[in-house]
């Protein structure tokens, strides 16, 4: 029995590694490494600069305020949310519709969960590079008060692991949705990511939203994750920017994250199993819609 | 061109546009995603300005930018990358062995795309304006309409040029379109007045028709806001010039790339 478990773990790890490598190849091998590096830098920097210029136009060139740092850092960490959600759910569409390999993955002895996590991992890695680039750009050129020595690393890593766990669970839920839908699969992940961008107060304090939108925002896990990342990177002073989230201490933010991530993982498991069962029953695993 | 040739080309334009026009009506669920989705992002930018206590016209600037984003996305994904999708589905070779010119196919794509996107952009504009109570003070409506149509002509001319240049691409087409999103949003000042980039950067960014079109529309739709880059009359003239240049080069590029693709045997390659 012990041999069987260790063998399954070994095989699972091998499948995960292969899926991650495949995801990385799909993402990056269309260009030589230099072009890919430039591509990876331009997008996050341009997205950050949009916010920077919006801010500078209004403040007539004055950066370096607390609100500016709040907006900038929130936007930088949000790259993870879009990247991971899209990466995991898009793997279903890509493999089913484009490469037509999803049915073969189901025929192989690997677990689809592990495969999806591996494919998402490649996006996670690319997102991590983009986040690092955006934060470095902000610290070096835009006076965002990010000091390597002042970052609360234990809090940052604890929050990062919990938050990413939650986002991965959400990605699995979206992958389940993609399994049983023919159209708009791309739109579903973008809609969810867009809703989080707006309702979680990623680029503004939650307080400026109407009350009904605030009520939705405070039940969404990424709200707490992004806030935790801001506090880890900028210090606890940044908690004063939002009165709604300022009520939460650093440790209570982590507790909320822990609870919501555990809940999301459980729900994502149930949902994906149900979606998978439905897809098998209705013959959707190998459908090709050309949509 | 003979009369029968003209009729054939006009029918081909209509046939290619028809797919998009009818597609837009048959599959109405896209309206939800294509209106709701950009409205989410646009609303987030509105709330950033609200957090900064920006003057009210900035809400209108963002809503207009959000609406114009729909055109840029259409140009990227349904013009520039279109031949890549057609190649993947095995349609490109059918277009090229038909007796019509590929330019005619591109023109049909552009007209169909404009129709479909105008519904999308109009919905974003109307919904966004109602939700955030945007006050427009339109000056010179005729000039505004001209500026808008010339911006579209130049924009879709650029799309036709991109489609020609992207003809040989495989997956690169997807990535290039992806790459041309945020940097163009930045350079064309979709969410802030392009003057904020400084004169020379804004001047260089004016090669993207969205920059001049949006700047002119903002000046005429929010009279006296004082954030314009160039006078709308100059922007109109520049857009007319860009339209001619882009369509001319699209035609030349299409011929060149078609020949090259035939010589290299890349017109029917899939899963690159």
């Amino acid at each position: 029995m012990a041999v069987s478990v260790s063998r399954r773990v070994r095989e699972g790890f091998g499948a995960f590694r292969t899926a991650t490598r495949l995801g990385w190849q799909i993402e990056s091998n269309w260009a030589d490494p230099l072009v890919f590096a430039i591509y990876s830098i331009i997008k996050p920097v341009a997205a950050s600069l949009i916010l920077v210029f919006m801010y500078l136009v209004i403040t007539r060139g004055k950066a370096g305020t607390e609100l500016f740092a709040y907006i900038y850092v929130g936007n930088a960490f949000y790259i993870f949310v879009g990247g991971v959600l899209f990466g995991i759910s898009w793997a279903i569409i890509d493999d089913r519709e484009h490469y037509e390999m999803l049915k073969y993955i189901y025929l192989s002895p690997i677990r689809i969960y592990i495969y999806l996590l591996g494919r998402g991992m490649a996006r996670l890695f690319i997102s991590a590079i983009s986040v690092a680039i955006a934060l470095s750009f902000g610290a070096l050129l835009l006076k965002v008060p990010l000091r390597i020595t002042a970052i609360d690393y234990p809090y940052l890593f604890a929050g990062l692991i919990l938050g990413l766990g939650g986002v991965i669970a959400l990605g699995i839920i979206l992958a389940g949705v993609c399994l049983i839908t023919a159209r708009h699969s791309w739109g579903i992940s973008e809609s969810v990511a867009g809703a989080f961008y707006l309702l979680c107060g990623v680029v503004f304090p939650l307080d400026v939203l109407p009350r009904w939108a605030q009520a939705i925002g405070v039940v969404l896990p990424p709200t707490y994750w992004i806030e935790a990342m801001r506090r880890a990177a900028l210090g606890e002073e940044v908690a004063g920017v939002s009165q709604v989230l300022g009520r939460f201490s650093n440790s209570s933010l982590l507790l909320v994250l822990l609870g919501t991530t555990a809940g999301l993982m459980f729900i994502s498991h149930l949902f994906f199993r149900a979606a998978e069962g439905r897809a098998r029953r209705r013959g959707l695993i190998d459908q090709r819609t050309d949509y | 061109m003979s009369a029968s040739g003209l009729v054939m080309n006009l029918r081909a334009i209509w046939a290619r546009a028809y797919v998009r026009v009818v597609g837009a009506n048959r599959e109405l669920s896209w309206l939800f995603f294509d209106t709701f989705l950009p409205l989410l992002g646009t609303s987030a930018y509105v709330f950033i300005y609200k957090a900064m206590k920006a003057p009210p016209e900035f809400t209108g600037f963002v809503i207009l930018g959000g609406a114009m984003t729909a055109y840029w996305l259409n140009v990227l994904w349904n013009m520039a990358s279109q031949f890549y999708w057609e190649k993947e589905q095995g349609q490109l070779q059918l277009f090229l062995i038909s007796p019509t010119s590929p330019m005619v196919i591109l023109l049909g794509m552009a007209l169909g795309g404009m129709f479909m996107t105008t519904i999308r952009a109009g919905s974003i504009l109307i919904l966004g304006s109602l939700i955030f109570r945007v006050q427009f003070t339109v000056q010179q409506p005729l000039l505004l309409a001209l500026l808008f149509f010339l911006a579209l002509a130049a924009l879709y001319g650029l799309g036709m040029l991109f489609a020609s240049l992207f003809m040989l691409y495989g997956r690169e087409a997807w990535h290039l379109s992806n790459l041309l999103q945020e940097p163009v949003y930045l350079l064309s000042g979709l969410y802030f007045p392009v003057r904020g980039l400084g004169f020379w950067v804004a001047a260089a960014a004016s090669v993207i028709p969205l920059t001049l079109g949006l700047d002119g529309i903002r000046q005429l739709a929010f009279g006296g806001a004082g954030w314009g880059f160039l006078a709308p009359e100059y922007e109109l003239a520049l857009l007319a010039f860009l339209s001619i240049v882009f369509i001319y080069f699209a035609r030349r590029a299409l011929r060149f790339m078609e020949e090259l693709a035939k010589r290299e045997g890349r017109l029917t390659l899939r899963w690159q």
Side-chain angles (χ1 to χ4, degrees):
Chain A
M1 186 66 184
V3 175
S4 164
V5 169
S6 75
R7 187 174 157 182
R8 276 169 67 181
V9 169
R10 216 173 39 243
E11 282 179 357
F13 185 71
F16 176 77
R17 206 177 45 198
T18 307
T20 303
R21 190 157 169 255
L22 174 67
W24 174 251
Q25 291 287 320
I26 289 174
E27 295 293 338
S28 67
N29 77 354
W30 57 275
D32 67 55
L34 180 69
V35 174
F36 184 70
I38 294 169
Y39 170 84
S40 306
I41 291 169
I42 288 177
K43 269 182 82 75
V45 168
S48 303
L49 281 177
I50 292 173
L51 298 175
V52 171
F53 277 100
M54 285 173 72
Y55 197 86
L56 293 180
V57 162
I58 298 301
T59 59
R60 309 265 171 189
K62 190 181 163 208
T65 64
E66 211 166 47
L67 179 63
F68 178 71
Y70 187 92
I71 293 171
Y72 192 89
V73 172
N75 187 62
F77 278 103
Y78 177 79
I79 293 171
F80 277 125
V81 180
V84 175
L85 283 185
F86 190 77
I88 294 179
S89 57
W90 188 252
I92 294 284
I93 311 298
D94 222 12
D95 280 342
R96 186 182 69 198
E97 302 271 340
H98 188 200
Y99 297 113
E100 298 176 37
M101 293 300 288
L102 189 62
K103 52 183 177 283
Y104 300 112
I105 291 160
Y106 267 97
L107 288 173
S108 71
I110 64 170
R111 294 185 66 191
I112 187 77
Y113 252 130
I114 291 172
Y115 176 74
L116 287 176
L117 286 177
R119 287 290 301 272
M121 205 47 64
R123 274 281 184 154
L124 178 64
F125 181 63
I126 293 168
S127 301
I129 295 172
S130 298
V131 173
I133 290 167
L135 291 176
S136 311
F137 183 79
L140 296 173
L141 299 175
L142 303 170
K143 298 181 189 164
V144 177
L146 285 162
R147 289 184 303 278
I148 290 175
T149 49
I151 293 172
D152 184 348
Y153 288 102
Y155 190 70
L156 179 79
F157 288 120
L160 205 55
I161 288 166
L162 287 174
L164 284 175
V167 177
I168 287 170
L170 280 166
I172 297 282
I173 291 175
L174 292 182
V177 174
C178 291
L179 261 183
I180 52 175
T181 47
R183 295 170 182 151
H184 304 307
S185 303
W186 61 269
I188 291 166
S189 56
E190 286 202 23
S191 297
V192 173
F196 286 160
Y197 193 66
L198 173 65
L199 296 168
C200 298
V202 173
V203 283
F204 48 81
L206 215 53
D207 313 57
V208 291
L209 284 175
R211 286 209 177 275
W212 63 266
Q214 281 182 32
I216 300 173
V218 293
V219 296
L220 297 174
T223 304
Y224 301 96
W225 182 36
I226 299 289
E227 180 68 9
M229 293 298 93
R230 282 191 196 108
R231 291 192 197 177
L234 297 168
E236 235 176 310
E237 311 84 72
V238 85
V241 175
S242 166
Q243 288 182 353
V244 175
L245 294 173
R247 295 183 310 223
F248 292 87
S249 65
N250 281 5
S251 52
S252 54
L253 276 179
L254 273 194
L255 271 178
V256 174
L257 261 181
L258 180 68
T260 50
T261 299
L264 271 175
M265 283 182 163
F266 181 66
I267 292 168
S268 78
H269 178 68
L270 292 183
F271 183 85
F272 190 80
R273 292 298 291 269
E276 199 178 30
R278 186 180 165 88
R280 282 176 189 268
R281 281 195 304 279
R282 302 187 68 182
L284 302 177
I285 300 286
D286 67 340
Q287 75 171 338
R288 190 180 155 196
T289 61
D290 281 335
Y291 186 70
Chain B
M1 188 187 293
S2 67
S4 63
L6 180 67
V7 170
M8 182 185 64
N9 281 337
L10 287 174
R11 288 179 67 187
I13 290 171
W14 170 239
R16 192 63 190 84
Y18 181 85
V19 181
R20 293 191 168 174
V21 174
V22 170
N25 288 315
R26 268 198 196 146
E27 177 51 66
L28 288 175
S29 55
W30 69 267
L31 265 174
F32 173 75
F33 285 103
D34 288 11
T35 311
F36 172 71
L37 189 61
L39 203 54
L40 288 175
T42 304
S43 303
Y45 286 114
V46 169
F47 282 112
I48 297 174
Y49 278 131
K50 285 193 186 293
M52 290 188 244
K53 299 184 173 58
E57 64 265 23
F58 277 78
T59 302
F61 288 177
V62 169
I63 300 292
L64 270 178
M68 293 301 278
T69 310
Y71 288 106
W72 181 245
L73 289 176
N74 186 254
V75 162
L76 282 182
W77 296 103
N78 295 104
M79 290 293 297
S81 320
Q82 188 62 33
F83 281 162
Y84 162 66
W85 308 126
E86 304 284 12
K87 199 160 50 171
E88 287 291 306
Q89 293 178 4
Q91 297 252 79
L92 184 60
Q93 63 261 45
L94 300 180
F95 288 150
L96 294 177
I97 58 177
S98 76
T100 56
S101 150
M103 270 307 272
V104 164
I105 303 288
L106 282 179
L107 192 57
M109 264 164 37
L111 291 175
M114 273 186 219
F115 169 80
M116 200 173 139
T117 311
T118 300
I119 298 176
R120 186 184 313 174
S123 310
I124 297 167
L125 188 63
I126 293 167
L127 280 175
S129 304
L130 289 175
I131 293 169
F132 295 106
R133 294 180 190 158
V134 178
Q135 300 276 329
F136 293 96
T137 45
V138 176
Q139 294 179 336
Q140 306 181 63
L142 188 66
L143 183 60
L144 178 74
L146 259 176
L147 201 71
F148 174 70
F149 285 114
L150 272 179
L152 285 197
L155 201 54
Y156 280 84
L158 180 63
M160 289 161 87
L161 176 60
F162 277 164
S164 315
L165 297 175
F166 280 30
M167 192 183 237
L168 296 188
Y169 287 152
R171 275 180 298 155
E172 302 95 319
W174 199 94
H175 290 288
L176 273 175
S177 291
N178 208 13
L179 180 64
L180 287 172
Q181 285 184 193
E182 285 83 355
V184 169
Y185 294 171
L186 169 70
L187 290 172
S188 54
L190 275 179
Y191 298 109
F192 57 87
V194 73
R195 209 174 73 171
L197 290 172
F199 181 83
W200 292 109
V201 178
S206 298
V207 75
I208 307 163
L210 212 52
T211 311
L212 295 174
L214 188 56
D215 187 68
I217 291 168
R218 276 177 181 152
Q219 290 184 62
L220 296 170
F222 298 95
W227 286 99
F229 168 53
L230 295 175
E233 292 79 6
Y234 289 130
E235 291 177 329
L236 188 78
L238 285 168
L239 283 171
F241 173 72
L242 286 177
S243 309
I244 295 165
V245 169
F246 286 144
I247 292 171
Y248 171 76
F249 279 107
R251 191 180 159 82
R252 293 199 62 165
L254 190 58
R255 272 194 197 152
F256 176 77
M257 297 308 255
E258 188 186 340
E259 277 305 308
L260 189 64
K262 281 178 179 168
R263 273 201 303 276
E264 294 186 359
R266 294 172 69 174
L267 284 175
T268 52
L269 277 183
R270 295 173 67 195
W271 296 321
Q272 293 176 75

